[in-house]
Amino acid sequence: DVKVTQSSRYLVKRTGEKVFLECVQDMDHENMFWYRQDPGLGLRLIYFSYDVKMKEKGDIPEGYSVSREKKERFSLILESASTNQTSMYLCASSWGHQETQYFGPGTRLLVL
Amino acid sequence: GQQVMQIPQYQHVQEGEDFTTYCNSSTTLSNIQWYKQRPGGHPVFLIQLVKSGEVKKQKRLTFQFGEAKKNSSLHITATQTTDVGTYFCAGFSRGNTDKLIFGTGTRLQVFP
């Protein structure tokens, strides 16, 4: 079974803090993705990566950055957290282009 | 940018009633995927449709891809309480195969 894990299920941070969200997959998948999920808006793609050290902007990259130093690990960084970044963050991975995406359990982030 | 809308946003049904959610894209899709997210859970892949007019069945679930490859539907026959959750469609645009665009989701509640 594919396993995608995320470093925290719940996180509370203060405005201006630097926040790291980590995602690890154990299936040697090439592609990894970060989404945020908000009520009524569905899942919106923040960043994705097709290879180590490679990253591409998604639809809403502003205020975020990512890092992929190893194939199995994809980190999402909020350089200076703001209250409008309070959301559910979901990491996903897939074997190849247009393949099934496997999601982690999500991190619910609250920025005060 | 590309948009994928789903209707209805919410649906409450009595157990045993049928349910349908509709997915409409502003652009032609190369394929479409459907995911289910249980309350408190993460999206889980259900199925992928590729061909124009394609229909696939999984037990009580019937998935359809429109002839123009711009819309899709999911129909559940005789709903059960285990069907509760949010159903998302997601598609790759023909013009941009890198990003999976998720629909806004339909939340299904089933009353026993």
Side-chain angles (χ1 to χ4, degrees):
Chain A
D1 270 356
V2 176
K3 195 169 182 184
V4 180
T5 57
Q6 294 184 229
S7 48
S8 307
R9 290 300 304 270
Y10 302 95
L11 211 51
V12 180
K13 295 291 180 181
R14 297 210 173 271
T15 302
E17 278 193 82
K18 191 168 187 175
V19 182
F20 292 88
L21 302 182
E22 285 218 317
C23 175
V24 178
Q25 50 94 4
D26 67 355
M27 282 302 293
D28 202 35
H29 281 174
E30 299 289 331
N31 309 323
M32 296 188 76
F33 309 85
W34 274 107
Y35 296 89
R36 64 176 282 176
Q37 183 175 18
D38 301 287
L41 296 178
L43 280 73
R44 292 180 292 166
L45 182 64
I46 305 171
Y47 268 97
F48 59 102
S49 169
Y50 285 144
D51 202 351
V52 174
K53 295 194 186 294
M54 176 273 180
K55 59 185 178 184
E56 291 283 346
K57 291 180 180 179
D59 296 316
I60 51 165
E62 296 78 20
Y64 304 94
S65 62
V66 289
S67 171
R68 193 165 181 202
E69 296 296 317
K70 293 185 178 181
K71 190 176 186 180
E72 67 270 18
R73 192 179 297 267
F74 193 35
S75 302
L76 179 69
I77 303 150
L78 286 65
E79 295 290 341
S80 177
S82 63
T83 54
N84 62 13
Q85 292 179 309
T86 290
S87 186
M88 167 71 88
Y89 289 88
L90 289 160
C91 174
S93 71
S94 70
W95 180 254
H97 291 287
Q98 300 197 20
E99 297 291 331
T100 302
Q101 293 193 10
Y102 295 88
F103 284 84
T107 295
R108 193 169 289 281
L109 172 67
L110 173 62
V111 182
L112 300 173
Chain B
Q2 181 189 2
Q3 288 188 320
V4 180
M5 303 298 293
Q6 278 182 257
I7 54 170
Q9 191 173 4
Y10 303 99
Q11 184 81 57
H12 298 168
V13 299
Q14 204 74 34
E15 190 172 23
E17 291 181 339
D18 291 357
F19 159 77
T20 304
T21 173
Y22 299 91
C23 175
N24 293 288
S25 171
S26 58
T27 61
T28 303
L29 302 171
S30 58
N31 62 38
I32 196 155
Q33 299 177 357
W34 283 90
Y35 291 78
K36 176 183 178 182
Q37 184 175 24
R38 294 183 187 275
H42 56 274
V44 175
F45 175 80
L46 293 176
I47 208 162
Q48 177 168 283
L49 304 169
V50 178
K51 298 177 185 174
S52 170
E54 188 172 12
V55 178
K56 284 189 177 180
K57 291 191 175 186
Q58 285 181 351
K59 297 182 181 177
R60 294 178 294 104
L61 278 61
T62 301
F63 303 84
Q64 190 165 5
F65 200 9
E67 293 290 341
K69 301 184 82 172
K70 293 181 75 172
N71 55 68
S72 181
S73 65
L74 158 59
H75 179 82
I76 302 178
T77 303
T79 54
Q80 299 175 359
T81 54
T82 53
D83 295 326
V84 165
T86 301
Y87 293 85
F88 292 98
C89 62
F92 287 97
S93 171
R94 274 190 174 169
N96 182 354
T97 57
D98 291 342
K99 296 189 289 188
L100 185 62
I101 307 298
F102 278 81
T104 45
T106 295
R107 193 163 86 189
L108 173 65
Q109 181 63 261
V110 180
F111 295 110

